[in-house]
């Protein structure tokens, strides 16, 4: 199998070198069809699945996938669809990507999770009527080594749910109650959200026949989505009941849900559900990555602490957050589904093709960000003449919140959440990290940091 895999890789590497030499030599060729785009060897019936199965060279290499595809096939890569999985075109040329994105319609189509869309269409019942302070008591949750005894990621998820709920509903959800039971709605919501993302991975990002027949994974997924929606509805219903008995107040002190609920109930309910589903794991993962980098770079951490304690500015804080998202992006890239035909890098991209811009890889290469593997927040604030200056990178290389009208609707909420959390922790604790850097994996479209979480919270 190793020799076979090497043959596939070397064969495609030669194709990539031929493609690049054609560009260098300035030879113009006719526009080629999509099927001619370089990519892993595709066999009849099974397509490219063999590369992702045990023994294949792409098996369980989700974090390195973009790098492997670019290094072997170049700036545009074809992945064939198979068994319910749609064809995908990866782009690693930011200029080509932004040109394509801008040529799309004024309201471009960003593909979502098909299994979740199906659940909402067939099972979702819209007619059911039913300042985070110090964030959480970190001090009380530490052991003798000043490490968090409970699961740190779960604690960050509870913080993210609490802060998202506060902005959404305009009130505390009490997720940070030290006596919170494992059977509480908040804990069950966190659990079912993580399970939902796992099921989305199986149904939408792995070969599956659920679109054609009722599979065991489909049944489990529908039940998981039902459970997640039920626990989300606990908080939505509580907010609705309070709104019915609440006197009208000024918009300045209303939550997002209350403001929109007065205009369109269904939109308010859907938005609240989406903010909770999309805003909890993402904020928790992003914050965990930033805390790791600060713990591993004490000089940067001390510099940030000086700024936080001065209470004068948040320039370096924002730079640390951007640098953390560059190094450990929670989402691998930007997605679009073409609404018309395009010509990109010498190939014809058909209508209804899923396009992924590989931002995760672009953020890790020297020609975009010098010293790409180093945590250097200064690159976001130095003078334009400095070789580290972030503006030297293509403006589309780093786009953690998306692009245009389909950019992340919760960006401002996420920025506020993470700034508050990081500043409070750095103000109260000296962070250390024990052992090697954390390992990461990908579930559905999100990158996760795996246990153990060896953060040490020392009192200042």
């Amino acid at each position: 199998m190793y020799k076979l895999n090497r043959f596939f890789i070397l064969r495609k590497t030669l194709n990539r070198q031929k493609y690049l030499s054609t560009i260098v030599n300035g030879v113009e060729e006719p526009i080629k069809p999509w099927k001619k785009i370089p990519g892993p060897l595709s066999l009849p019936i099974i397509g490219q699945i063999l590369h992702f199965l045990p023994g294949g060279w792409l098996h369980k290499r989700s974090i390195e996938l973009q790098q492997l595809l670019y290094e072997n096939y170049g700036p545009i890569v074809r992945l064939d669809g198979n068994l319910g999985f749609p064809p995908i075109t990866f782009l690693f040329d930011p200029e080509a990507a932004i040109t394509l994105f801008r040529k799309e319609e004024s309201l471009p189509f960003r593909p979502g999770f098909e299994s979740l869309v199906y659940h909402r269409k067939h099972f979702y019942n819209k007619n059911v009527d039913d300042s985070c302070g110090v964030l959480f008591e970190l001090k009380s949750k530490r052991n003798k080594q000043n490490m968090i005894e409970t699961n740190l990621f779960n604690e960050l998820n509870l913080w993210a749910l609490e802060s998202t709920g506060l902005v959404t509903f305009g009130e505390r959800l009490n997720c940070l109650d030290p006596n919170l039971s494992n059977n509480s709605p908040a804990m069950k919501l966190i659990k079912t959200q993580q399970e939902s993302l796992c099921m989305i991975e199986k149904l939408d990002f792995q070969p599956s026949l659920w679109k054609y027949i009722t599979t065991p994974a489909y049944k489990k997924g529908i039940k998981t989505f039902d459970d997640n929606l039920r626990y989300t509805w606990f908080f939505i219903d509580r907010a609705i009941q309070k709104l019915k008995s609440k006197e009208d107040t000024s918009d300045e002190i209303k939550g997002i849900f209350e403001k929109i609920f007065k205009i369109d109930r269904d939109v308010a309910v859907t938005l609240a559900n989406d903010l909770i589903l999309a805003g909890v794991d993402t904020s928790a993962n992003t914050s965990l990555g930033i805390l790791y980098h600060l713990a591993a770079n004490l000089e940067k951490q001390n510099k940030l602490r000086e700024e936080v304690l001065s209470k004068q500015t948040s320039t370096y804080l924002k730079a640390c957050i951007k640098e953390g998202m560059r190094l450990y992006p929670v989402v691998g890239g930007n997605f679009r589904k073409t609404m018309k035909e395009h010509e990109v890098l010498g190939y014809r991209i058909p209508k209804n093709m899923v396009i992924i811009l590989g931002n995760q890889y672009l953020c890790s290469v020297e020609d975009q960000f010098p010293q790409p593997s180093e945590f250097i927040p200064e690159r976001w604030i130095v003078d334009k003449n400095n070789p580290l200056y972030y503006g030297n990178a293509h403006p589309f290389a780093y786009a953690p919140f998306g692009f245009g009208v389909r950019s992340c609707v919760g960006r401002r909420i996420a920025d506020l959440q993470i700034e508050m959390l990081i500043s409070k922790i750095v103000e109260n604790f000296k962070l250390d990290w024990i052992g090697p850097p954390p390992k990461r994996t990908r579930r559905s479209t999100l990158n996760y940091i795996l246990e153990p979480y060896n953060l040490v919270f020392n009192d200042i």
Side-chain angles (χ1 to χ4, degrees):
M1 177 61 77
Y2 173 78
K3 291 183 178 179
L4 186 62
N5 286 336
R6 291 297 300 167
F7 170 75
F8 293 155
I9 296 171
L10 290 174
R11 177 184 175 187
K12 292 302 180 179
T13 301
L14 291 174
N15 287 341
R16 173 176 180 267
Q17 292 171 347
K18 180 181 178 182
Y19 170 80
L20 293 177
S21 65
T22 299
I23 299 299
V24 171
N25 294 330
V27 178
E28 293 187 8
E29 296 183 358
I31 299 298
K32 300 177 182 178
W34 181 80
K35 273 290 185 182
K36 293 294 184 179
I37 295 175
L41 179 67
S42 182
L43 299 179
I45 301 177
I46 64 173
Q48 298 167 332
I49 289 181
L50 76 163
H51 305 293
F52 297 90
L53 296 177
W57 68 288
L58 294 175
H59 179 61
K60 290 187 176 181
R61 304 191 72 178
S62 56
I63 291 295
E64 312 102 304
L65 177 64
Q66 292 187 15
Q67 177 182 349
L68 293 171
L69 292 179
Y70 176 79
E71 289 178 348
N72 285 282
Y73 308 114
I76 183 169
V77 182
R78 184 196 83 252
L79 290 184
D80 297 336
N82 202 301
L83 295 178
F85 192 87
I88 293 175
T89 303
F90 271 94
L91 285 177
F92 300 103
D93 184 321
E95 186 61 31
I98 199 170
T99 300
L100 183 151
F101 282 20
R102 285 174 172 166
K103 286 182 178 179
E104 279 289 284
E105 305 295 337
S106 58
L107 292 176
F109 182 65
R110 187 186 189 281
F113 302 134
E114 291 189 44
S115 58
L116 198 58
V117 171
Y118 180 86
H119 175 263
R120 288 188 176 180
K121 181 178 180 180
H122 296 278
F123 298 94
Y124 183 45
N125 183 6
K126 294 182 178 180
N127 297 315
V128 177
D129 194 12
D130 306 316
S131 158
C132 296
V134 186
L135 303 174
F136 50 81
E137 295 295 329
L138 280 174
K139 294 181 184 290
S140 65
K141 297 179 182 292
R142 294 179 297 176
N143 57 25
K144 293 181 179 180
Q145 290 75 42
N146 286 332
M147 300 176 72
I148 305 301
E149 283 196 325
T150 55
N151 186 301
L152 178 59
F153 182 61
N154 280 346
E155 298 294 340
L156 290 173
N157 268 280
L158 288 171
W159 154 77
L161 177 57
E162 179 75 4
S163 54
T164 300
L166 179 61
V167 175
T168 303
F169 300 119
E171 65 174 6
R172 297 286 297 268
L173 304 183
N174 297 322
C175 300
L176 303 178
D177 184 343
N179 299 315
L180 193 67
S181 166
N182 287 332
N183 291 321
S184 66
M187 290 296 289
K188 287 183 177 180
L189 178 57
I190 294 294
K191 184 173 184 292
T192 57
Q193 280 201 174
Q194 294 171 355
E195 290 174 348
S196 293
L197 290 171
C198 289
M199 293 312 304
I200 288 172
E201 166 75 16
K202 291 182 179 180
L203 294 172
D204 293 343
F205 295 90
Q206 294 178 8
S208 176
L209 296 173
W210 72 268
K211 296 178 184 178
Y212 312 108
I213 60 174
T214 301
T215 64
Y218 164 83
K219 293 180 180 178
K220 184 177 180 181
I222 293 300
K223 181 181 183 305
T224 302
F225 299 154
D226 282 340
D227 291 343
N228 180 253
L229 186 60
R230 183 169 68 254
Y231 295 125
T232 303
W233 259 106
F234 173 85
F235 296 104
I236 293 175
D237 181 57
R238 190 169 70 177
I240 291 175
Q241 297 305 320
K242 289 188 176 182
L243 286 179
K244 289 180 178 180
S245 59
K246 182 179 178 182
E247 295 182 2
D248 196 26
T249 57
S250 67
D251 283 346
E252 293 183 3
I253 57 176
K254 289 180 180 178
I256 297 173
F257 181 80
E258 182 177 356
K259 292 179 181 179
I260 300 179
F261 188 83
K262 300 290 185 181
I263 303 172
D264 191 312
R265 180 188 185 280
D266 289 344
V267 171
V269 169
T270 301
L271 179 62
N273 193 39
D274 285 351
L275 283 173
I276 291 174
L277 179 64
V280 175
D281 270 41
T282 50
S283 293
N285 271 290
T286 299
S287 300
L288 185 56
I290 295 168
L291 290 174
Y292 158 69
H293 286 294
L294 288 171
N297 295 271
L298 294 180
E299 180 183 348
K300 312 298 183 184
Q301 182 187 153
N302 292 334
K303 184 175 179 179
L304 174 59
R305 185 175 294 109
E306 289 179 8
E307 179 187 84
V308 170
L309 293 174
S310 72
K311 309 291 185 182
Q312 299 296 316
T313 180
S314 59
T315 302
Y316 197 68
L317 170 63
K318 293 178 179 179
C320 287
I321 293 172
K322 289 180 179 178
E323 185 69 349
M325 289 194 291
R326 181 189 70 82
L327 282 167
Y328 279 9
V330 71
V331 177
N334 281 281
F335 295 67
R336 286 289 189 276
K337 191 172 185 179
T338 57
M339 301 178 72
K340 57 186 177 182
E341 197 174 83
H342 295 271
E343 294 180 1
V344 180
L345 298 178
Y347 295 93
R348 181 169 288 106
I349 306 297
K351 182 181 178 180
N352 295 323
M353 172 61 61
V354 175
I355 303 292
I356 300 179
L357 171 60
N359 294 105
Q360 180 172 326
Y361 175 71
L362 292 172
C363 283
S364 68
V365 294
E366 184 77 28
D367 61 348
Q368 297 291 340
F369 295 94
Q371 303 176 53
S373 61
E374 301 296 319
F375 181 72
I376 309 175
E378 287 76 10
R379 75 173 79 243
W380 301 96
I381 54 179
V382 294
D383 185 84
K384 293 181 179 181
N385 296 323
N386 192 306
L388 287 173
Y389 176 57
Y390 79 95
N392 294 329
H394 191 282
F396 216 39
Y398 173 85
F401 292 102
F403 167 78
V405 295
R406 297 305 182 201
S407 59
C408 176
V409 68
R411 175 175 184 173
R412 302 306 176 194
I413 299 174
D415 283 340
L416 179 62
Q417 286 178 318
I418 297 169
E419 286 178 22
M420 289 178 62
L421 178 74
I422 300 300
S423 61
K424 286 293 183 181
I425 289 180
V426 170
E427 182 179 359
N428 288 275
F429 302 101
K430 176 182 176 294
L431 300 172
D432 286 314
W433 181 272
I434 298 176
K439 294 182 179 181
R440 296 187 297 154
T441 189
R442 178 175 297 165
R443 295 197 296 267
S444 65
T445 57
L446 301 184
N447 296 326
Y448 284 82
I449 297 175
L450 299 175
E451 293 186 84
Y453 308 122
N454 296 324
L455 271 172
V456 180
F457 296 83
N458 294 309
D459 292 319
I460 293 179

